[in-house]
Amino acid sequence: WKVETPDGDALRYRLHYRREGQTLWRDVLRDGEVVTKLEHDWDTQALPEGKYRVRVEASDELANPPERVLKHSLESGPVLIDNTPPVVAQLALDGRRLRAKIVDGLGPIARVEIAVDGRLEWRPLGPADGLFDTADESIDADVSGIVPTGAHIVTVRAFDAAGNAVMREVETR
């Protein structure tokens, strides 16, 4: 977040969140935790997936007596919390043509890659429709330039927009 403080006072931030459709704001920070930086890493793994809003309150209480403290808060737009990786619903290698269907619960698929025989040389694959923009994407790719002839293990790795990833493999013959 960005904050302007014309008088240069040190600021303290309080962070709250609420799930879309709920009215109760809950603390992001633990009891006694003080945030004075313009950023905070929020571990959301224990929250149910869905849309949330975050409220940041800035206060100059660290630099002023109680009767002169100024506070201001702003609420974010919807923030999507997605902790579940996509699913490779279908995966087949027919000759040198790789076909796959990748599905995510919330959304969109962001990237699909392949690697051959466990080498950490990930190569991107494009979606069949030309654009990764939905939670349900199909891959139909000629991988002859990536997968040599012969028997190999081809690993497919897919990421959703939140960075969650899944890997599946298929063998060539």
Side-chain angles (χ1 to χ4, degrees):
W1 56 89
K2 279 185 159 182
V3 177
E4 291 183 23
T5 173
D7 58 8
D9 283 351
L11 299 178
R12 176 184 183 173
Y13 304 99
R14 288 181 173 80
L15 308 170
H16 303 89
Y17 72 94
R18 69 175 172 82
R19 191 168 184 161
E20 283 283 299
Q22 295 180 344
T23 57
L24 179 64
W25 288 95
R26 302 174 193 285
D27 291 330
V28 169
L29 306 175
R30 294 183 297 270
D31 286 340
E33 187 175 6
V34 176
V35 174
T36 58
K37 295 180 181 179
L38 295 174
E39 60 187 40
H40 180 74
D41 288 328
W42 181 28
D43 186 348
T44 61
Q45 291 181 26
L47 287 174
E49 293 182 326
K51 291 184 180 177
Y52 290 78
R53 294 198 180 249
V54 177
R55 184 177 64 199
V56 177
E57 177 187 280
S59 165
D60 64 359
E61 66 194 71
L62 300 175
N64 291 293
E67 66 274 3
R68 296 193 51 205
V69 169
L70 298 175
K71 294 180 182 180
H72 184 72
S73 66
L74 283 176
E75 181 179 320
S76 75
V79 174
L80 181 65
I81 293 182
D82 178 357
N83 296 317
T84 304
V87 172
V88 179
Q90 299 168 7
L91 178 60
L93 191 56
D94 184 17
R96 293 291 176 256
R97 187 130 211 112
L98 182 113
R99 290 183 177 89
K101 184 170 179 92
I102 317 289
V103 180
D104 191 67
L106 290 176
I109 302 302
R111 184 170 86 235
V112 177
E113 306 168 325
I114 67 169
V116 179
D117 293 333
R119 293 184 188 95
L120 293 177
E121 298 170 11
W122 293 99
R123 302 284 301 272
L125 293 176
D129 66 0
L131 184 64
F132 286 122
D133 61 347
T134 64
D136 185 341
E137 294 286 355
S138 293
I139 306 295
D140 186 357
D142 177 356
V143 294
S144 58
I146 302 169
V147 181
T149 58
H152 298 282
I153 295 174
V154 176
T155 304
V156 174
R157 179 169 68 175
F159 293 85
D160 64 15
N164 301 305
V166 63
M167 287 192 297
R168 291 261 316 269
E169 67 181 40
V170 62
E171 286 189 58
T172 65
R173 297 178 188 210

